[in-house]
Amino acid sequence: MILPPATLGMLGGGQLGRFFVSAAHEMGYKVWVLDPDPNSPAGLIADRHVAAAYDDYAALDEMAQGCAAVTTEFENVPATTLDYLAKFVPVHPSASAVAVCQNRVAEKTFLADNGLPHGPFAVIRCEENVRDADEALFPAVLKVARFGYDGKGQARVANREEALHAFHQFGGESCVLEKMLKLDSEMSVVLARDEAGAVRCFPAGENSHRHGILDVTIMPARIEPVLAERARDVAQAIAERLDYVGTLGVEFFVCGGQLFVNEMAPRPHNSGHHTIDACVTSQYEQQVKALCGLPLGEPRAHSAAVMVNLLGELWYDDNGDYREPDWSVLQAIPNLRLHLYAKHHARPGRKMGHFTVIGEDAAQVLATAMQARAAIGIRDDEH
Ligand code: ADP
Ligand code: MG
């Protein structure tokens, strides 16, 4: 077991890393963050911020020397970086698990090979693959295999010609072509798995997106209990087959009453932010525990919760002028907790913060959260 006051290493300095740093600090650890951005949200509160690229081997050597174990919050950390660090210190999750989750071709192929539920898709590496793709896939979504997030690197395509066009627009990079599913709803399961194979699942969350970016998570998800149970089983099976150690997020589509895995995130997940305020143990504490070889904590929710993301457009008024949103509106609500990430500059679509409303009555929590969402200025007419 790695015990306090050991120093832990975090690759990536975004908000997920920032919450990891906070959790680790509360538990008595020190944290070094590696992120090239001098203003990274996690770097700002870390005991040490190594501002260097993920493939800067001198910086990696420093991390290996200074940290008792290393984890990541950023799925695009090169697998070679994780492999390199693993020669010197424990690294969780492993390079091989991250490699599957960071590439949509590898991810979809993993699901297919393991008999896990997924939607119809084709791997696209060249024009011929588009020409040969099953007609039944259209209308479809073409997604670049690597580096897409928050709906970036995706194009909705009605037919083969549009798919070819989008493939060229993406520079001929490897892609997956997914059938556009008619979604009843979207949900996610966040879990933690330790080195001995013990798994603790948080209750499933129900997610809604705007412009391809997570907007609201409702926990517990308003779905049939059997579906929630099935989602947990599938998420657990994924973690086991990846021999995953750490916190893992699995996104699902519910379509025609059936469950399909959309994608996996080898890190805490945006839809698990509510665990900070509504669960006995948060997804970030679990990440610390799994990394350090401590027994995992109880994931039980003590409250119903609704989480609302605060995106950069909120920082612009109707005239397009930059200004801070009026936080007093949210602070007036006693069962609401506001989390801001201290990002340097707000851009539209950028995740700047979130709030979580908790309470006993799930319907009341949802009503309060949606009122707060409107009051702070999030409008649905921009769909
Ligand atoms: P990201 O990495 O940006 O989260 P996703 O693949 O999860 O990428 O896609 C973002 C969102 O776009 C999904 O949560 C869903 O709302 C929508 N979407 C993606 N793929 C499909 C699909 N095959 N059918 C229907 N909706 C989809
Ligand atoms: Mg997603």
Side-chain angles (χ1 to χ4, degrees), residues 334-354:
N335 55 335
L336 179 150
R337 298 199 69 210
L338 176 63
H339 301 268
L340 294 172
Y341 310 150
K343 287 193 184 171
H344 207 53
H345 183 75
R347 284 186 259 103
R350 192 171 195 203
K351 290 171 179 167
M352 301 297 293
H354 73 270

Side-chain angles (χ1 to χ4, degrees), residues 218-219 222 304-306 333-336 355-372:
I218 300 170
M219 187 286 300
R222 298 168 299 176
V306 172
I333 303 167
N335 55 335
L336 179 150
F355 66 78
T356 307
V357 176
I358 62 168
E360 271 174 34
D361 178 341
Q364 187 58 52
V365 166
L366 179 58
T368 304
M370 295 316 274
Q371 279 159 16

Side-chain angles (χ1 to χ4, degrees), residues 75 104 108 120 140-141 143 148-152 154 156 178-183 186 209 212-213 251 253 262-263 267 269:
E75 68 223 52
R104 291 188 195 274
K108 284 280 191 297
V141 198
K143 303 181 180 178
Y149 70 99
D150 288 347
K152 294 188 177 68
Q154 298 194 8
R156 299 191 168 204
E178 293 181 22
K179 183 178 176 60
M180 176 65 83
L181 300 170
K182 203 174 165 319
L183 307 180
E186 293 186 64
H209 295 77
I213 307 176
E251 298 178 11
F253 294 145
N262 171 26
E263 59 171 352
R267 49 170 172 76
H269 194 263

Side-chain angles (χ1 to χ4, degrees), residues 30-176:
K30 294 187 169 54
V31 186
W32 287 10
V33 166
L34 177 74
D35 187 302
D37 176 2
N39 296 309
S40 80
L44 292 175
I45 62 165
D47 297 276
R48 177 143 179 243
H49 176 199
V50 178
Y54 297 109
D55 58 356
D56 178 332
Y57 285 83
L60 297 181
D61 285 340
E62 275 188 67
M63 293 292 284
Q65 275 160 25
C67 301
V70 175
T71 187
T72 172
E73 62 112 39
F74 174 56
E75 68 223 52
N76 290 320
V77 167
T80 46
T81 293
L82 299 172
D83 264 335
Y84 180 76
L85 287 169
K87 289 187 204 156
F88 310 105
V89 277
V91 175
H92 300 298
S94 68
S96 58
V98 172
V100 171
C101 304
Q102 74 186 181
N103 182 312
R104 291 188 195 274
V105 171
E107 188 174 51
K108 284 280 191 297
T109 308
F110 165 86
L111 294 172
D113 288 351
N114 286 285
L116 296 160
H118 58 81
F121 74 98
V123 174
I124 306 295
R125 297 190 200 274
C126 58
E127 281 186 18
E128 282 66 52
N129 296 153
V130 180
R131 293 207 188 89
D132 296 344
D134 189 344
E135 187 59 35
L137 286 175
F138 296 102
V141 198
L142 187 74
K143 303 181 180 178
V144 284
R146 292 223 49 194
F147 303 117
Y149 70 99
D150 288 347
K152 294 188 177 68
Q154 298 194 8
R156 299 191 168 204
V157 291
N159 51 45
R160 215 175 286 278
E161 292 71 58
E162 287 186 22
L164 266 179
H165 180 73
F167 179 60
H168 288 140
Q169 291 275 302
F170 290 150
E173 292 280 323
S174 292
C175 290
V176 293

